[in-house]
PDB file of all heavy atoms in Angstrom:
ATOM      1  N   ALA A 259     -11.262  -1.804 -25.177  1.00 92.00           N
ATOM      2  CA  ALA A 259     -12.456  -1.424 -25.943  1.00 92.00           C
ATOM      3  C   ALA A 259     -12.232  -1.685 -27.426  1.00 92.00           C
ATOM      4  O   ALA A 259     -11.112  -1.617 -27.922  1.00 92.00           O
ATOM      5  CB  ALA A 259     -12.764   0.054 -25.715  1.00 92.00           C
ATOM      6  N   GLU A 260     -13.330  -1.958 -28.111  1.00 94.00           N
ATOM      7  CA  GLU A 260     -13.304  -2.157 -29.562  1.00 94.00           C
ATOM      8  C   GLU A 260     -13.367  -0.803 -30.263  1.00 94.00           C
ATOM      9  O   GLU A 260     -14.055   0.106 -29.791  1.00 94.00           O
ATOM     10  CB  GLU A 260     -14.506  -2.998 -29.992  1.00 94.00           C
ATOM     11  CG  GLU A 260     -14.489  -4.419 -29.469  1.00 94.00           C
ATOM     12  CD  GLU A 260     -13.413  -5.261 -30.123  1.00 94.00           C
ATOM     13  OE1 GLU A 260     -13.182  -5.098 -31.349  1.00 94.00           O
ATOM     14  OE2 GLU A 260     -12.789  -6.052 -29.399  1.00 94.00           O
ATOM     15  N   PRO A 261     -12.698  -0.664 -31.406  1.00 94.00           N
ATOM     16  CA  PRO A 261     -12.799   0.604 -32.141  1.00 94.00           C
ATOM     17  C   PRO A 261     -14.178   0.760 -32.779  1.00 94.00           C
ATOM     18  O   PRO A 261     -14.824  -0.222 -33.151  1.00 94.00           O
ATOM     19  CB  PRO A 261     -11.715   0.480 -33.211  1.00 94.00           C
ATOM     20  CG  PRO A 261     -11.527  -0.988 -33.397  1.00 94.00           C
ATOM     21  CD  PRO A 261     -11.819  -1.620 -32.067  1.00 94.00           C
ATOM     22  N   ALA A 262     -14.619   1.985 -32.884  1.00 95.00           N
ATOM     23  CA  ALA A 262     -15.855   2.299 -33.594  1.00 95.00           C
ATOM     24  C   ALA A 262     -15.550   2.305 -35.088  1.00 95.00           C
ATOM     25  O   ALA A 262     -14.411   2.564 -35.499  1.00 95.00           O
ATOM     26  CB  ALA A 262     -16.374   3.659 -33.149  1.00 95.00           C
ATOM     27  N   PRO A 263     -16.549   2.051 -35.924  1.00 94.00           N
ATOM     28  CA  PRO A 263     -16.321   2.029 -37.375  1.00 94.00           C
ATOM     29  C   PRO A 263     -16.255   3.432 -37.987  1.00 94.00           C
ATOM     30  O   PRO A 263     -17.107   3.832 -38.772  1.00 94.00           O
ATOM     31  CB  PRO A 263     -17.530   1.240 -37.889  1.00 94.00           C
ATOM     32  CG  PRO A 263     -18.610   1.508 -36.898  1.00 94.00           C
ATOM     33  CD  PRO A 263     -17.910   1.647 -35.565  1.00 94.00           C
ATOM     34  N   THR A 264     -15.218   4.176 -37.601  1.00 91.00           N
ATOM     35  CA  THR A 264     -15.068   5.540 -38.102  1.00 91.00           C
ATOM     36  C   THR A 264     -14.093   5.631 -39.267  1.00 91.00           C
ATOM     37  O   THR A 264     -13.993   6.672 -39.892  1.00 91.00           O
ATOM     38  CB  THR A 264     -14.552   6.487 -37.001  1.00 91.00           C
ATOM     39  OG1 THR A 264     -13.270   6.026 -36.573  1.00 91.00           O
ATOM     40  CG2 THR A 264     -15.504   6.551 -35.836  1.00 91.00           C
ATOM     41  N   GLY A 265     -13.346   4.559 -39.503  1.00 83.00           N
ATOM     42  CA  GLY A 265     -12.326   4.594 -40.531  1.00 83.00           C
ATOM     43  C   GLY A 265     -11.008   5.064 -39.949  1.00 83.00           C
ATOM     44  O   GLY A 265     -10.908   5.416 -38.779  1.00 83.00           O
ATOM     45  N   PRO A 266      -9.959   5.083 -40.779  1.00 87.00           N
ATOM     46  CA  PRO A 266      -8.632   5.471 -40.299  1.00 87.00           C
ATOM     47  C   PRO A 266      -8.489   6.976 -40.118  1.00 87.00           C
ATOM     48  O   PRO A 266      -9.262   7.751 -40.672  1.00 87.00           O
ATOM     49  CB  PRO A 266      -7.705   4.961 -41.405  1.00 87.00           C
ATOM     50  CG  PRO A 266      -8.551   4.994 -42.634  1.00 87.00           C
ATOM     51  CD  PRO A 266      -9.955   4.678 -42.185  1.00 87.00           C
ATOM     52  N   GLY A 267      -7.508   7.347 -39.337  1.00 90.00           N
ATOM     53  CA  GLY A 267      -7.212   8.760 -39.132  1.00 90.00           C
ATOM     54  C   GLY A 267      -8.109   9.395 -38.088  1.00 90.00           C
ATOM     55  O   GLY A 267      -8.804   8.725 -37.334  1.00 90.00           O
ATOM     56  N   THR A 268      -8.073  10.721 -38.049  1.00 90.00           N
ATOM     57  CA  THR A 268      -8.851  11.485 -37.079  1.00 90.00           C
ATOM     58  C   THR A 268     -10.087  12.049 -37.773  1.00 90.00           C
ATOM     59  O   THR A 268      -9.984  12.637 -38.848  1.00 90.00           O
ATOM     60  CB  THR A 268      -8.004  12.636 -36.501  1.00 90.00           C
ATOM     61  OG1 THR A 268      -6.830  12.086 -35.903  1.00 90.00           O
ATOM     62  CG2 THR A 268      -8.779  13.419 -35.464  1.00 90.00           C
ATOM     63  N   VAL A 269     -11.244  11.846 -37.136  1.00 93.00           N
ATOM     64  CA  VAL A 269     -12.504  12.323 -37.707  1.00 93.00           C
ATOM     65  C   VAL A 269     -13.348  12.983 -36.627  1.00 93.00           C
ATOM     66  O   VAL A 269     -13.195  12.692 -35.440  1.00 93.00           O
ATOM     67  CB  VAL A 269     -13.320  11.170 -38.338  1.00 93.00           C
ATOM     68  CG1 VAL A 269     -12.566  10.512 -39.474  1.00 93.00           C
ATOM     69  CG2 VAL A 269     -13.717  10.143 -37.306  1.00 93.00           C
ATOM     70  N   VAL A 270     -14.237  13.867 -37.071  1.00 94.00           N
ATOM     71  CA  VAL A 270     -15.268  14.385 -36.176  1.00 94.00           C
ATOM     72  C   VAL A 270     -16.325  13.290 -36.116  1.00 94.00           C
ATOM     73  O   VAL A 270     -17.016  13.028 -37.096  1.00 94.00           O
ATOM     74  CB  VAL A 270     -15.878  15.707 -36.684  1.00 94.00           C
ATOM     75  CG1 VAL A 270     -17.030  16.136 -35.785  1.00 94.00           C
ATOM     76  CG2 VAL A 270     -14.822  16.792 -36.755  1.00 94.00           C
ATOM     77  N   ALA A 271     -16.430  12.631 -34.972  1.00 95.00           N
ATOM     78  CA  ALA A 271     -17.348  11.502 -34.830  1.00 95.00           C
ATOM     79  C   ALA A 271     -18.736  11.942 -34.397  1.00 95.00           C
ATOM     80  O   ALA A 271     -19.710  11.231 -34.615  1.00 95.00           O
ATOM     81  CB  ALA A 271     -16.774  10.497 -33.837  1.00 95.00           C
ATOM     82  N   ALA A 272     -18.825  13.107 -33.761  1.00 95.00           N
ATOM     83  CA  ALA A 272     -20.118  13.627 -33.304  1.00 95.00           C
ATOM     84  C   ALA A 272     -19.992  15.133 -33.144  1.00 95.00           C
ATOM     85  O   ALA A 272     -18.919  15.648 -32.844  1.00 95.00           O
ATOM     86  CB  ALA A 272     -20.518  12.991 -31.981  1.00 95.00           C
ATOM     87  N   GLU A 273     -21.123  15.813 -33.334  1.00 94.00           N
ATOM     88  CA  GLU A 273     -21.126  17.258 -33.148  1.00 94.00           C
ATOM     89  C   GLU A 273     -22.509  17.710 -32.726  1.00 94.00           C
ATOM     90  O   GLU A 273     -23.516  17.093 -33.080  1.00 94.00           O
ATOM     91  CB  GLU A 273     -20.691  17.988 -34.415  1.00 94.00           C
ATOM     92  CG  GLU A 273     -21.540  17.709 -35.630  1.00 94.00           C
ATOM     93  CD  GLU A 273     -20.954  18.310 -36.891  1.00 94.00           C
ATOM     94  OE1 GLU A 273     -20.612  19.508 -36.888  1.00 94.00           O
ATOM     95  OE2 GLU A 273     -20.844  17.569 -37.875  1.00 94.00           O
ATOM     96  N   ALA A 274     -22.532  18.767 -31.949  1.00 94.00           N
ATOM     97  CA  ALA A 274     -23.801  19.339 -31.507  1.00 94.00           C
ATOM     98  C   ALA A 274     -23.667  20.854 -31.484  1.00 94.00           C
ATOM     99  O   ALA A 274     -22.772  21.400 -30.837  1.00 94.00           O
ATOM    100  CB  ALA A 274     -24.177  18.825 -30.124  1.00 94.00           C
ATOM    101  N   GLN A 275     -24.537  21.503 -32.215  1.00 93.00           N
ATOM    102  CA  GLN A 275     -24.563  22.957 -32.218  1.00 93.00           C
ATOM    103  C   GLN A 275     -25.233  23.432 -30.933  1.00 93.00           C
ATOM    104  O   GLN A 275     -26.224  22.854 -30.488  1.00 93.00           O
ATOM    105  CB  GLN A 275     -25.331  23.456 -33.433  1.00 93.00           C
ATOM    106  CG  GLN A 275     -25.185  24.921 -33.673  1.00 93.00           C
ATOM    107  CD  GLN A 275     -25.745  25.325 -35.038  1.00 93.00           C
ATOM    108  OE1 GLN A 275     -26.352  24.550 -35.735  1.00 93.00           O
ATOM    109  NE2 GLN A 275     -25.514  26.566 -35.396  1.00 93.00           N
ATOM    110  N   LEU A 276     -24.696  24.482 -30.353  1.00 93.00           N
ATOM    111  CA  LEU A 276     -25.236  25.031 -29.116  1.00 93.00           C
ATOM    112  C   LEU A 276     -26.232  26.141 -29.445  1.00 93.00           C
ATOM    113  O   LEU A 276     -25.957  26.995 -30.289  1.00 93.00           O
ATOM    114  CB  LEU A 276     -24.107  25.580 -28.244  1.00 93.00           C
ATOM    115  CG  LEU A 276     -23.032  24.559 -27.870  1.00 93.00           C
ATOM    116  CD1 LEU A 276     -21.879  25.235 -27.155  1.00 93.00           C
ATOM    117  CD2 LEU A 276     -23.629  23.438 -27.042  1.00 93.00           C
ATOM    118  N   VAL A 277     -27.369  26.102 -28.770  1.00 92.00           N
ATOM    119  CA  VAL A 277     -28.406  27.113 -28.960  1.00 92.00           C
ATOM    120  C   VAL A 277     -28.797  27.636 -27.588  1.00 92.00           C
ATOM    121  O   VAL A 277     -29.165  26.864 -26.702  1.00 92.00           O
ATOM    122  CB  VAL A 277     -29.654  26.521 -29.660  1.00 92.00           C
ATOM    123  CG1 VAL A 277     -30.691  27.612 -29.900  1.00 92.00           C
ATOM    124  CG2 VAL A 277     -29.281  25.834 -30.965  1.00 92.00           C
ATOM    125  N   THR A 278     -28.706  28.947 -27.416  1.00 91.00           N
ATOM    126  CA  THR A 278     -29.069  29.562 -26.140  1.00 91.00           C
ATOM    127  C   THR A 278     -30.587  29.664 -26.022  1.00 91.00           C
ATOM    128  O   THR A 278     -31.320  29.472 -27.001  1.00 91.00           O
ATOM    129  CB  THR A 278     -28.475  30.978 -26.002  1.00 91.00           C
ATOM    130  OG1 THR A 278     -29.144  31.836 -26.931  1.00 91.00           O
ATOM    131  CG2 THR A 278     -26.970  30.996 -26.235  1.00 91.00           C
ATOM    132  N   GLU A 279     -31.044  30.015 -24.833  1.00 91.00           N
ATOM    133  CA  GLU A 279     -32.473  30.219 -24.607  1.00 91.00           C
ATOM    134  C   GLU A 279     -33.021  31.355 -25.472  1.00 91.00           C
ATOM    135  O   GLU A 279     -34.197  31.380 -25.806  1.00 91.00           O
ATOM    136  CB  GLU A 279     -32.740  30.522 -23.122  1.00 91.00           C
ATOM    137  CG  GLU A 279     -32.486  29.366 -22.192  1.00 91.00           C
ATOM    138  CD  GLU A 279     -31.005  29.179 -21.806  1.00 91.00           C
ATOM    139  OE1 GLU A 279     -30.143  29.930 -22.308  1.00 91.00           O
ATOM    140  OE2 GLU A 279     -30.712  28.270 -21.020  1.00 91.00           O
ATOM    141  N   ALA A 280     -32.154  32.293 -25.848  1.00 91.00           N
ATOM    142  CA  ALA A 280     -32.562  33.427 -26.693  1.00 91.00           C
ATOM    143  C   ALA A 280     -32.495  33.087 -28.182  1.00 91.00           C
ATOM    144  O   ALA A 280     -32.743  33.937 -29.032  1.00 91.00           O
ATOM    145  CB  ALA A 280     -31.671  34.632 -26.397  1.00 91.00           C
ATOM    146  N   GLY A 281     -32.148  31.833 -28.504  1.00 91.00           N
ATOM    147  CA  GLY A 281     -32.091  31.412 -29.896  1.00 91.00           C
ATOM    148  C   GLY A 281     -30.806  31.751 -30.611  1.00 91.00           C
ATOM    149  O   GLY A 281     -30.737  31.673 -31.835  1.00 91.00           O
ATOM    150  N   GLU A 282     -29.783  32.124 -29.868  1.00 91.00           N
ATOM    151  CA  GLU A 282     -28.485  32.435 -30.478  1.00 91.00           C
ATOM    152  C   GLU A 282     -27.656  31.152 -30.606  1.00 91.00           C
ATOM    153  O   GLU A 282     -27.864  30.203 -29.861  1.00 91.00           O
ATOM    154  CB  GLU A 282     -27.746  33.467 -29.634  1.00 91.00           C
ATOM    155  CG  GLU A 282     -28.495  34.796 -29.566  1.00 91.00           C
ATOM    156  CD  GLU A 282     -27.801  35.779 -28.655  1.00 91.00           C
ATOM    157  OE1 GLU A 282     -27.992  35.682 -27.427  1.00 91.00           O
ATOM    158  OE2 GLU A 282     -27.080  36.635 -29.186  1.00 91.00           O
TER     159      GLU A 282
END
């Protein structure tokens, strides 16, 4: 596989906040 253009080192490449049905 080809590397993604994230730059060197370790990075957070994606994130998703979790939201419950009650809005928490």
Side-chain angles (χ1 to χ4, degrees):
E260 294 290 322
T264 61
T268 302
V269 299
V270 175
E273 59 188 310
Q275 191 169 7
L276 302 173
V277 183
T278 69
E279 292 82 357
E282 297 176 279

